[in-house]
Amino acid sequence: MMNTDKVLSLIGLCQRARLLVSGEEFSLEKIKNNQARLVFLAKDASQNTSKRILDKSKFYGVDVVQSFSSDDLSTAIGRCNRRVIAINDKGFADKMKSLLL
C-alpha cells in the first residue's frame, strides 16, 4: 500500500471519527479559530478557492497538502465534490504529515 493510499484511508477514518470538516467555508472557519491542524486542498480546486485557503493557512500557520484531486478527497470521505478538507485532530494530522514527507 502506497503512502498516499494510507493517507486517504486515514482521512476516511478521520471522517468516521468526526475529526474533520469538509468544504471551503467550514475549513476556513476552522483555520481562523486555530482548530485546523492540517488542510487538504484539491490540486484541481479553482484559483479563487486555492488563493483563499492558501492565504489563510499561511497567515495562521497551518500546513496545506495539495497532493490529491477532488475525486480522491471526495471518495476518501464518502461525499461529492469536496475540494477542501481540514483535519482537526493533532494525532491524525501528525501521522498524515509523516506519511507524506
Side-chain angles (χ1 to χ4, degrees):
M1 190 179 225
M2 302 272 300
N3 281 349
T4 54
D5 293 337
K6 289 179 184 176
V7 170
L8 290 172
S9 294
L10 280 173
I11 291 172
L13 188 60
C14 212
Q15 166 70 20
R16 289 188 291 282
R18 296 186 179 175
L19 296 173
L20 65 77
V21 294
S22 63
E24 182 180 357
E25 295 305 321
F26 291 122
S27 297
L28 282 171
E29 186 180 313
K30 292 293 183 182
I31 292 168
K32 290 176 190 174
N33 293 333
N34 289 318
Q35 294 175 319
R37 302 287 177 242
L38 180 64
V39 174
F40 288 92
L41 175 62
K43 55 188 170 189
D44 56 350
S46 72
Q47 199 171 17
N48 187 30
T49 298
S50 297
K51 182 175 177 6
R52 285 181 71 193
I53 296 295
L54 291 172
D55 288 351
K56 283 291 183 215
S57 296
K58 184 177 181 182
F59 182 80
Y60 288 97
V62 179
D63 292 328
V64 178
V65 176
Q66 290 183 284
S67 303
F68 304 104
S69 69
S70 59
D71 288 341
D72 294 336
L73 296 176
S74 298
T75 303
I77 64 169
R79 299 243 179 111
C80 296
N81 297 323
R82 296 301 159 159
R83 287 170 179 60
V84 184
I85 295 176
I87 307 296
N88 303 327
D89 182 74
K90 185 180 184 331
F92 274 110
D94 290 345
K95 180 63 177 175
M96 290 175 196
K97 286 180 201 174
S98 71
L99 289 170
L100 290 170
L101 299 176

